[in-house]
Amino acid sequence: MKDYSFKCEKTCPITGAVRILSGKWNAVLIYNLFQHDVCRFSDFANNFDNLSPRILALKLSELEKANIITKKIYPVIPPKTEYRLTDFGKTLKPVIEAMEKWGNYNNTIQQESATNQ
C-alpha cells in the first residue's frame, strides 16, 4: 500500500487509518464484507461495474497483507475463493458504520439540494 503520511508522525493514528481505507475501493470492499460476511471474487466483480479484475485482485491482496481480510482457496475446479474479515478487520465496523451514516446523510442533502433547484 502506498504511504500517504501527509508529513504526520509515523505514529499518527489518522495515517494508519487512511493507509487502510484510502483509495477508491478499500472501504467499499470492507463495507461489502460487513454486509455479507463471506464474499467470493465473483461476488465482488459482479457488484462493481467499474472495478477491473486486476484492480480487484490488487485491492484484495492489499487488504489481506494488512490483516483486514483472509482468503480461503478451495481445491476444486474451477477454483473457489472466499474472503472474510479477520477479527482485526472487524474492528473497523464503527468506522465503516460512521462512513455509511455520513454517506446516507450526504445523499439526503444532495437530493434535497437537487430538488430545490
Side-chain angles (χ1 to χ4, degrees), residues 12 35 42 48 68 103:
C12 176
Q35 301 299 308
S42 60
F48 305 108
I68 302 299

Side-chain angles (χ1 to χ4, degrees), residues 19-37:
R19 192 174 293 125
I20 298 298
L21 297 173
S22 67
K24 185 174 179 179
W25 298 106
N26 288 7
V28 176
L29 294 171
I30 294 167
Y31 174 75
N32 209 309
L33 282 167
F34 275 117
Q35 301 299 308
H36 302 288
D37 292 327

Side-chain angles (χ1 to χ4, degrees), residues 34-111:
F34 275 117
Q35 301 299 308
H36 302 288
D37 292 327
V38 176
C39 288
R40 295 180 62 188
F41 189 91
S42 60
D43 295 332
F44 289 120
N46 293 336
N47 285 334
F48 305 108
D49 293 334
N50 298 327
L51 180 56
S52 73
R54 181 174 99 44
I55 296 298
L56 174 57
L58 176 68
K59 293 300 177 182
L60 290 171
S61 177
E62 288 176 0
L63 292 171
E64 186 179 11
K65 287 177 186 170
N67 193 33
I68 302 299
I69 64 172
T70 60
K71 174 181 176 179
K72 183 172 183 180
I73 302 171
Y74 293 91
V76 295
I77 297 178
K80 177 181 171 184
T81 307
E82 292 181 343
Y83 297 89
R84 300 179 195 299
L85 289 164
T86 63
D87 288 339
F88 179 63
K90 290 176 184 176
T91 65
L92 286 167
K93 188 167 185 140
V95 176
I96 298 298
E97 286 176 338
M99 291 173 71
E100 177 185 29
K101 183 178 178 182
W102 188 88
N104 286 332
Y105 171 72
N106 182 52
N107 289 344
T108 300
I109 296 299
Q110 296 300 323
Q111 289 171 353

